[in-house]
Amino acid sequence: MTAEEKDAGISMEPLFIQESGEVYRNPTEVQMSQIVMPCHANHCEELSVGQLLKWMDSTACLSAERHAGCSCITASVDDIHFEHTIGVGKVVNIIAKVNRAFTSSMEVGILVTCEDLYTGRQWNVCHAFATFVARRTEAGKVQLQQVIPRTQLEQMEYSLAAERRRMRLIHAEVITDLLSSSTAQLGECQEYQDSVPAERTRVESVELVLPPHANHQVSTFGGQIMAWMENVATIAASRLCNAHPTLRIIDMFHFRAPSHIGDRLVLKAIVNNAFKHSMEVGVCAEAYQGREPLRHINSAFMTFEVLDRDRKPCTLPRLRPEPVDGRRRYQEAIARKKIRLDRKYIISCKQTEVPLSVPWDPSNQMYLSYNNVSALKLTDTRNNWVLISEKNKVRLYTFEENHTLCIKVEMFVSVPAEQSFHLLSDLRRRKEWDRHYEECEVINQVDEDDAIYRVVTPSVSKGGKGKDFILLASRRKPCDPRDPYLIALRSVTLPTHPPTEDYTRAEVLCAGFTIWEESSAVTKFTYYNQATPGVLPYLSTDIAGLSSSFYSTFSACSRFLEANKDSQAALPPSSS
């Protein structure tokens, strides 16, 4: 990787040389390169986001169809964050490849970079994850072949794809629940004398779906629908500020129904709320033919900024919402902004920052849980572990990266994987085998898969204070037989449980268990921990070879699992 590529944040995977001596290339990978011509640009001589969405959708669809061997349709596109705009004359490079296939759907990863032909410099523009569904054939529903990851990066994306899929499936429900609880707490919107009536920003446009708008399956091209939606959203945003806005974020696109040649697509947009430097525009697409009722095709929320000559965000006018529905959209936009800020904080939080934990509340529950599980999966897919020692069939590995020491403990137990998962999921039982868990209580049973615990550990020095941790435990069952059972742990901050004088508040960045089913009776059990300052004193003597307490602890864990392998008490934790 060159210094310029590193500064630009471009991810370059090392070459993978196959046994034949050839350089490996993912069989589903599709690349598209386009030079930005004036016909692709807006008034600022920058690439229209609508045109970019078309190119992204086309590239991803070709990748999906290369894997499926049949026609595929766009089901959804996850949130997209545009880091940079692209000027006329620049080259847009798009790479798409299938990360994982499920029964009839698959996740396609999309990376967009920009290239300056004169300097050779490249930089990231955005990345996205799209879900495609294989269309039914005359033989019936398509059963997709599984993706076989070959490199560490492919293994990482394969593993995370299962967690992203889980988020998509619960996304609408979580957002609905959150908004219904949040809007009641946001209060009434304030009236401002110089505010712009929301009605002034309303846009409605109709498009007739013609053959050039259709894809090779004679359905309306998903990228075209997204481009039309971006167009009306931009007009709505322009009417608020009397300027040309720049699109920064698109919330998830979800295609609810197909559209075909001859359909009339009605596109509607309105500014929901204006903040100091950004505004949210709600946009939807509906279709009809003749006198039939409108069919809901798609909807999204888009966040715009207005940039000055120095590319700095300008202050925007206030918005005066319409009564009833307008006020509801105004308040929901505030809640969605809070979600975006929480998500950005969680995702961008550096491992070297203190505190390591982030605040937990219902608005960031979904993303914090995802981040918790993803961190453990990323650790699990690493291949640079060094075996330090082995005692009593317990193996201890370490690796160091960015001044952070990570440990891995691996062993096999003669207990079914599902039973091991249930026994280890309830952290209250961990003190039965781990002497470092002096006390453990559930302080918030978030849902079936996530719980927050308070854990107390003894002092590592004579006469010193013990430590306490506030831990989010996220459990996951396998998405299919090639996934492990997983229990991820990380510290969170709860206002109801601040630090006390009796204990030193310590933090866990990433820890947990992966549980692999080797056979119906044998399970591979792996424990991970990123040794933060609060945890390192408990581990250092073992890693240095000066103590065997670590092995004693996990031997005790093995005995605990085997003694309880037929126990009916192995149930998910519940708050008492």
Side-chain angles (χ1 to χ4, degrees):
M1 183 186 296
T2 67
E4 286 183 332
E5 287 170 337
K6 190 171 183 181
D7 291 341
I10 295 176
S11 175
M12 300 288 286
E13 187 177 16
L15 295 179
F16 180 74
I17 309 299
Q18 303 179 94
E19 292 182 2
S20 63
E22 296 181 358
V23 175
Y24 167 75
R25 179 175 174 179
N26 188 301
T28 71
E29 182 180 299
V30 172
Q31 298 185 17
M32 176 186 285
S33 293
Q34 298 278 357
I35 190 163
V36 179
M37 306 296 289
C39 62
H40 302 137
N42 57 24
H43 66 288
C44 295
E45 296 188 343
E46 294 173 346
L47 175 64
S48 158
V49 173
Q51 180 62 62
L52 178 58
L53 291 170
K54 289 183 185 180
W55 288 339
M56 291 170 65
D57 191 56
S58 295
T59 312
C61 184
L62 292 173
S63 174
E65 292 184 343
R66 176 174 283 183
H67 179 72
C70 63
S71 298
C72 296
I73 55 176
T74 313
S76 67
V77 181
D78 290 1
D79 301 354
I80 308 175
H81 298 249
F82 298 98
E83 299 174 30
H84 301 282
T85 56
I86 304 173
V88 170
K90 300 294 190 294
V91 171
V92 178
N93 296 309
I94 305 173
I95 299 176
K97 56 185 176 182
V98 177
N99 291 330
R100 184 163 182 165
F102 301 96
T103 306
S104 59
S105 68
M106 67 204 94
E107 179 191 275
V108 181
I110 309 165
L111 175 65
V112 180
T113 61
C114 183
E115 178 183 355
D116 187 322
L117 292 174
Y118 294 99
T119 65
R121 192 171 71 91
Q122 294 193 43
W123 58 92
N124 281 353
V125 174
C126 67
H127 70 271
F129 299 99
T131 300
F132 283 80
V133 176
R135 293 190 65 154
R136 296 176 71 97
T137 63
E138 293 180 359
K141 192 173 182 180
V142 175
Q143 178 77 36
L144 292 172
Q145 292 184 343
Q146 297 302 320
V147 171
I148 301 174
R150 299 287 299 276
T151 67
Q152 183 176 351
L153 181 60
E154 288 180 4
Q155 179 60 50
M156 178 189 74
E157 294 294 0
Y158 176 91
S159 182
L160 295 180
E163 186 65 12
R164 286 190 289 261
R165 180 173 184 259
R166 178 182 181 275
M167 282 187 65
R168 292 181 199 111
L169 294 174
I170 66 171
H171 181 269
E173 179 183 341
V174 170
I175 295 297
T176 300
D177 290 346
L178 175 62
L179 292 180
S180 63
S181 61
S182 296
T183 50
Q185 303 170 14
L186 295 174
E188 291 297 319
C189 52
Q190 295 178 307
E191 297 285 351
Y192 296 94
Q193 289 184 347
D194 57 346
S195 57
V196 176
E199 187 61 32
R200 184 189 298 176
T201 70
R202 186 182 296 278
V203 179
E204 181 172 321
S205 180
V206 65
E207 299 283 353
L208 174 61
V209 181
L210 299 171
H213 304 138
N215 56 24
H216 54 301
Q217 304 152 32
V218 202
S219 298
T220 313
F221 173 39
Q224 179 64 70
I225 295 174
M226 291 189 285
W228 282 335
M229 293 173 70
E230 184 269 337
N231 178 60
V232 294
T234 301
I235 295 171
S238 300
R239 288 180 175 174
L240 175 77
C241 57
N242 295 324
H244 296 288
T246 299
L247 180 58
R248 285 302 188 203
I249 302 170
I250 301 177
D251 282 16
M252 180 184 287
F253 283 112
H254 178 66
F255 288 89
R256 292 170 170 80
S259 171
H260 307 283
I261 293 174
D263 276 348
R264 281 72 170 167
L265 249 63
V266 179
L267 302 130
K268 302 174 183 177
I270 190 170
V271 177
N272 291 331
N273 203 336
F275 307 100
K276 185 175 182 180
H277 295 304
S278 66
M279 70 185 95
E280 181 194 274
V281 179
V283 57
C284 73
E286 300 172 315
Y288 73 95
Q289 280 202 12
R291 297 182 179 178
E292 69 177 21
L294 291 169
R295 309 189 310 273
H296 188 185
I297 300 297
N298 205 331
S299 58
F301 299 98
M302 304 188 185
T303 302
F304 290 85
E305 293 176 341
V306 176
L307 304 179
D308 61 19
R309 291 182 179 179
D310 297 323
R311 310 296 293 174
K312 301 295 184 183
C314 300
T315 301
L316 298 175
R318 300 281 188 175
L319 184 84
R320 185 165 69 249
E322 307 161 289
V324 191
D325 281 351
R327 290 179 180 273
R328 173 185 56 79
R329 291 194 302 267
Y330 183 96
Q331 292 177 319
E332 289 178 352
I334 297 173
R336 277 188 293 268
K337 183 184 180 186
K338 183 180 187 308
I339 294 169
R340 285 192 291 269
L341 291 174
D342 285 344
R343 178 179 59 204
K344 183 178 180 180
Y345 176 67
I346 291 166
I347 293 173
S348 65
C349 193
K350 300 293 187 295
Q351 297 181 358
T352 54
E353 292 176 352
V354 177
L356 301 173
S357 57
V358 297
W360 183 94
D361 66 38
S363 71
N364 67 12
Q365 171 194 336
M366 180 169 63
Y367 301 103
L368 192 50
S369 178
Y370 167 78
N371 187 259
N372 187 21
V373 172
S374 298
L376 184 60
K377 286 190 170 187
L378 290 173
T379 305
D380 183 51
T381 56
R382 293 186 181 278
N383 55 16
N384 51 345
W385 293 98
V386 177
L387 178 63
I388 298 298
S389 58
E390 180 177 0
K391 295 180 183 177
N392 302 324
K393 298 182 180 180
V394 178
R395 294 179 178 178
L396 175 62
Y397 300 81
T398 65
F399 86 83
E400 188 173 355
E401 184 176 69
N402 298 326
H403 307 291
T404 300
L405 180 68
C406 300
I407 67 159
K408 177 172 82 169
V409 180
E410 186 179 273
M411 64 181 183
F412 292 83
V413 293
S414 300
V415 181
E418 186 172 13
Q419 182 74 351
S420 299
F421 172 68
H422 288 312
L423 286 165
L424 294 171
S425 290
D426 188 351
L427 296 192
R428 293 173 299 183
R429 300 201 66 179
R430 184 159 167 176
K431 60 186 178 183
E432 296 180 36
W433 57 271
D434 188 349
R435 64 183 180 83
H436 295 124
Y437 269 54
E438 199 169 65
E439 298 176 27
C440 183
E441 61 174 330
V442 179
I443 56 179
N444 189 346
Q445 185 65 51
V446 180
D447 56 29
E448 183 182 350
D449 295 320
D450 293 278
I452 299 177
Y453 293 83
R454 178 175 178 266
V455 175
V456 174
T457 61
S459 170
V460 291
S461 59
K462 194 171 183 179
K465 291 197 296 186
K467 296 183 178 181
D468 70 343
F469 300 78
I470 305 298
L471 299 179
L472 170 65
S474 303
R475 359 176 300 141
R476 297 289 187 270
K477 291 184 178 181
C479 182
D480 64 40
R482 291 166 303 153
D483 283 322
Y485 290 88
L486 187 142
I487 305 161
L489 307 172
R490 70 155 298 157
S491 287
V492 294
T493 302
L494 276 182
T496 54
H497 289 75
T500 63
E501 292 183 0
D502 298 331
Y503 297 95
T504 301
R505 176 61 51 86
E507 297 179 305
V508 170
L509 177 62
C510 174
F513 306 88
T514 60
I515 301 164
W516 293 88
E517 184 177 19
E518 296 290 308
S519 68
S520 59
V522 177
T523 295
K524 178 183 170 184
F525 164 102
T526 310
Y527 172 76
Y528 295 95
N529 199 312
Q530 283 186 280
T532 55
V535 176
L536 192 58
Y538 298 102
L539 311 174
S540 56
T541 53
D542 291 272
I543 295 169
L546 303 176
S547 170
S548 60
S549 63
F550 218 73
Y551 301 95
S552 300
T553 297
F554 284 93
S555 293
C557 178
S558 177
R559 292 192 297 272
F560 163 76
L561 293 173
E562 291 176 1
N564 291 276
K565 66 180 179 180
D566 298 318
S567 170
Q568 298 300 311
L571 298 172
S574 59
S575 184
S576 53

